Amino acid sequence: MIFFAIYFMLYHLVAEISRKVYERGLTVGNGGNVSVRAGEYMRITPKKSGFKTLADLSPYEIIRVPIDNPEHPRASSESKMHAEIYRRTNRKAVIHAHPPIACSKLHKGIIFRVPDPEGRYHDVPFIKYYPPGSRELARAVAEAIDDLGVVLMLNHGVVVAGNSLREALIKLELVELGARL
């Protein structure tokens, strides 16, 4: 019974963090995706259609996907990218979002520095544009992700990875803060 409770908590946590990403204005529309790793599987947000946002997801909509075979018909189109990060790093959580100020600067070709939780500023890697959901994007992001766990994607957004979903959320907030400064 304890195993089931812990197992189900992951679905609630992904839905909760997804809601926070949207409500804090770190992504707009139906963009963005969130995942957490548990063993050889990840729990990831589903594909969204129409006017459904990250804030609208319930724990029952979160998809369990094997990391070694992330293509699931209902999983986020970026599930390959999340899985590739998990395969290449020891990170436990990934968020992909479109923070408006950061994306605006990236679209204009302005690369900015990102603070860490201690207030030190870092240059972060950025990658050129690759089609969303492509294996090329998944590979490029996983290869570029740095010690800070942040990658800027030209004309696409931001990916952050952490040891927990809360850590990844804080990193995403710091990216937007860095873009504002």
Side-chain angles (χ1 to χ4, degrees), residues 78-98:
E78 299 295 4
S79 61
K80 291 185 285 289
M81 179 176 62
H82 289 246
E84 193 67 23
I85 292 169
Y86 293 135
R87 280 194 291 268
R88 292 179 183 238
T89 73
N90 60 359
R91 301 285 171 45
K92 303 290 185 225
V94 175
I95 300 174
H96 162 54
H98 311 117

Side-chain angles (χ1 to χ4, degrees), residues 145-173:
I145 204 151
D146 65 352
D147 292 338
L148 191 60
V150 178
V151 175
L152 307 175
M153 301 179 294
L154 296 178
N155 298 319
H156 190 142
V158 176
V159 175
V160 294
N163 294 320
S164 70
L165 279 170
R166 295 198 192 285
E167 179 185 314
L169 178 60
I170 290 168
K171 289 179 182 185
L172 184 58
E173 291 174 323

Side-chain angles (χ1 to χ4, degrees), residues 90-162:
N90 60 359
R91 301 285 171 45
K92 303 290 185 225
V94 175
I95 300 174
H96 162 54
H98 311 117
I101 295 172
C103 287
S104 173
K105 286 193 171 182
L106 286 169
H107 182 70
K108 294 174 185 169
I110 301 169
I111 304 302
F112 51 90
R113 298 177 59 131
V114 175
D116 65 20
E118 285 78 39
R120 296 178 301 248
Y121 282 79
H122 302 269
D123 293 326
V124 295
F126 65 92
I127 61 169
K128 68 178 190 167
Y129 178 80
Y130 292 93
S134 68
R135 290 200 183 280
E136 295 81 16
L137 175 64
R139 239 185 326 272
V141 167
E143 288 172 1
I145 204 151
D146 65 352
D147 292 338
L148 191 60
V150 178
V151 175
L152 307 175
M153 301 179 294
L154 296 178
N155 298 319
H156 190 142
V158 176
V159 175
V160 294

